Amino acid sequence: MVKTVAVIGAGVSGLTSLKCCLDEGLEPTCFERGDDIGGLWKFMEHVEDGRASIYNSVASNTSKEMSCFSDFPMPDHFPNFLPNHILMDYYRMYAKHFDLLKHIQFKTIVCSVRKRPDFATSGQWDIVTEKDGKQESAIFDAVLLCIGHHVEPYYPLDSFPGIDKFKGQYFHSREYKFPDGFKGKRVIIVGMGNTGADLAVELSHTADKVFLSTRSGSWVISRVYDRGYPWDMVFNTRFKNWFRNSLPPSISIWLTDRKMNSWFDHANYGLRPKDSSQWKELVFNDELPGRITCGYVVTKPGVVQFTETSAKFDDGTVEEDIDVVIFATGYTYSCPLLKECGFNNQNMNSLYRQIFLPTLEQPTLGVIGLIQPLGAIMPTMEMQARWVTRVFKGLCKLPPLEKIMEDIAKKNEILISRFGTKTRNCLQLDQIEYFDELATEVGAKPNIPLLFLTDPWLALELFFGSCTPFQYRLMGPGKWPGARHAIFTQWDRIVSATKNRDVKVQSEYSPMFLVPVILCIFATLFVFCFF
């Protein structure tokens, strides 16, 4: 029986793992190499080895209602999308509310994680840590690895001939902190994920010219979505998710193209994805199209060669007098602590439900946060931790190895069909499907068919409304009495964050009042037909 748990890392996944351990009556100890909580979201002016690094202007790409932990809503006055320092305020509130700090050992490096000689029967681990130059060893019944996947930069300089001859400055985006020092510079940003787009927009306000180089393109959407609401509150609903996944691929692709191009035609801006038949991480940027249309940012294809002062692109064009090159080429997963277990960045898709190494004799090691959901990662990691801690405690059982391997193979087929074979897409997953899968194991998935009989308005909100984390605190282990109220007031909190001036709106008769009735009838028929 698992009792003591080592939690490695006090970032977001580490904090929620600590809380979930305490909920299950386990005894966690968290080891954090830094002097503070927050992990990725803790801004520091200098890059530190072994720690994630962000730039000063980073803000969340998912809204506060979708990003909060399921039993701890964010304050009403918080903005809908949060700058890093406000997110840190939330995590401090969370840690204080659930009294987590006393379980964290700061400035402590984990040197090794090794199976005990009797691991096959005990499932225990030897963990060696170092603090102030002194090493200590301890035995733990289980381990939760919470180090994230934004630590080791992917820096493929070998793919860019001539970069060693380039006389200007070049570095990975991990080292970027402020736009100071780029005034009057001509800058190339290689790579167009969220970081590349953010840096292009920010530097375009100070640099002489910014060139945004992308080989494959990306869908760019605004955080401000339909009718001004946060994108994920509109996009991530059970009904829409079921509808998208039920459509033939060709129709789904057509609808996606239509929706993604409703703000601006990506082809006309040089941004359209090369292969729009498969999903990749969306780029959330409210300013990029405006900076492009004003000429401050120029989109370019992939770089094929650098010279001492210029860059040649694969369409044959050349840009001269380049001063700075920033490689926003992402990150690779690296975890030397798990080498003994045979896990590395080449087999990240071999984890059972993205958490457990299937080859371990005992399921006493869980990897939390090695995912990239189409939605907020914070509550998704919380759900992972809720399930893992119940597995540790023996309340949830893993299936036989044969079933585990079948499940992994099936999930990889779905991954390839939806997201392709690119390495950078290997962590992608459908958030609502994943939520429901883990919540079913925990016993916390809302029973919508039953709710249509006992609480129909709540059932309608769960099925057609935003799939916020509160849904998974309505029933089962960890049930939270405030969940129903949080669900019915979530739109009030969204509006209160932006409506800081009262505006009188003339009310007019509208047939839209019939919509809830029609939806209720449709939902009832759907439930009885398919559940």
Side-chain angles (χ1 to χ4, degrees), residues 448 450-462 474 484 488:
I448 296 179
L450 177 62
L451 286 172
F452 267 111
L453 300 176
T454 61
D455 196 342
W457 287 112
L458 177 60
L460 280 171
E461 184 64 32
L462 296 187
L474 288 167
R484 188 181 188 277
F488 279 112

Side-chain angles (χ1 to χ4, degrees), residues 113-129:
V113 177
R114 292 190 175 92
K115 294 186 287 186
R116 297 274 295 164
D118 62 347
F119 180 83
T121 55
S122 70
Q124 291 182 322
W125 300 84
D126 279 321
I127 294 185
V128 177
T129 59

Side-chain angles (χ1 to χ4, degrees), residues 55-333:
Y55 38 101
N56 186 52
S57 58
V58 166
S60 66
N61 289 329
T62 52
S63 65
K64 66 177 182 179
E65 296 301 309
M66 302 295 275
S67 302
C68 66
F69 296 118
S70 57
D71 56 355
F72 196 71
M74 292 191 189
D76 291 9
H77 67 276
F78 273 24
N80 289 324
F81 292 92
L82 301 108
N84 60 83
H85 66 278
I86 298 182
L87 262 178
M88 282 297 298
D89 289 342
Y90 174 71
Y91 297 137
R92 295 190 200 286
M93 294 164 55
Y94 181 79
K96 181 179 180 180
H97 182 80
F98 293 109
D99 200 16
L100 304 179
L101 293 181
K102 67 182 182 182
H103 300 281
I104 304 174
Q105 296 184 17
F106 292 105
K107 296 184 178 181
T108 304
I109 298 174
V110 177
C111 303
S112 65
V113 177
R114 292 190 175 92
K115 294 186 287 186
R116 297 274 295 164
D118 62 347
F119 180 83
T121 55
S122 70
Q124 291 182 322
W125 300 84
D126 279 321
I127 294 185
V128 177
T129 59
E130 181 178 327
K131 183 175 184 178
D132 298 328
K134 181 181 178 181
Q135 288 194 350
E136 292 184 359
S137 179
I139 299 172
F140 287 89
D141 297 323
V143 178
L144 285 172
L145 191 68
C146 306
I147 63 172
H149 53 89
H150 293 93
V151 176
E152 190 70 28
Y154 177 58
Y155 203 12
L157 294 182
D158 293 343
S159 301
F160 298 92
I163 190 63
D164 56 324
K165 300 177 182 177
F166 180 65
K167 290 186 175 181
Q169 182 184 13
Y170 63 92
F171 55 90
H172 190 272
S173 58
R174 182 173 187 264
E175 300 177 43
Y176 176 86
K177 296 294 180 180
F178 303 99
D180 305 344
F182 291 87
K183 185 174 178 59
K185 305 285 188 180
R186 288 169 60 83
V187 182
I188 292 179
I189 296 174
V190 178
M192 204 201 135
N194 280 287
T195 298
D198 279 354
L199 268 55
V201 167
E202 182 164 282
L203 290 176
S204 70
H205 290 276
T206 57
D208 179 62
K209 183 75 73 173
V210 175
F211 302 96
L212 181 57
S213 169
T214 174
R215 290 178 176 173
S216 57
S218 290
W219 292 125
V220 179
I221 69 172
S222 174
R223 294 177 177 87
V224 183
Y225 212 57
D226 296 348
R227 299 185 63 201
Y229 293 125
W231 76 270
D232 49 358
M233 293 289 286
V234 178
F235 185 85
N236 279 342
T237 74
R238 291 181 181 277
F239 172 72
K240 289 183 179 179
N241 202 63
W242 166 80
F243 185 72
R244 284 190 296 264
N245 293 339
S246 301
L247 290 173
S250 58
I251 297 178
S252 180
I253 292 168
W254 178 78
L255 288 175
T256 298
D257 278 19
R258 184 181 175 88
K259 183 60 181 176
M260 292 297 107
N261 284 314
S262 62
W263 183 23
F264 67 96
D265 190 322
H266 284 63
N268 292 343
Y269 284 68
L271 298 174
R272 182 182 175 84
K274 183 179 294 185
D275 184 2
S276 59
S277 66
Q278 294 176 326
W279 275 95
K280 60 178 291 189
E281 184 182 7
L282 297 173
V283 171
F284 300 94
N285 200 290
D286 307 284
E287 299 181 60
L288 183 60
R291 302 310 287 176
I292 293 174
T293 201
C294 290
Y296 296 110
V297 175
V298 177
T299 54
K300 302 290 289 186
V303 178
V304 294
Q305 186 178 12
F306 286 99
T307 68
E308 293 181 349
T309 59
S310 66
K312 182 178 180 180
F313 300 88
D314 63 15
D315 62 353
T317 59
V318 176
E319 294 295 340
E320 303 283 355
D321 301 322
I322 301 300
D323 300 295
V324 182
V325 179
I326 302 177
F327 289 91
T329 44
Y331 294 82
T332 183
Y333 186 75

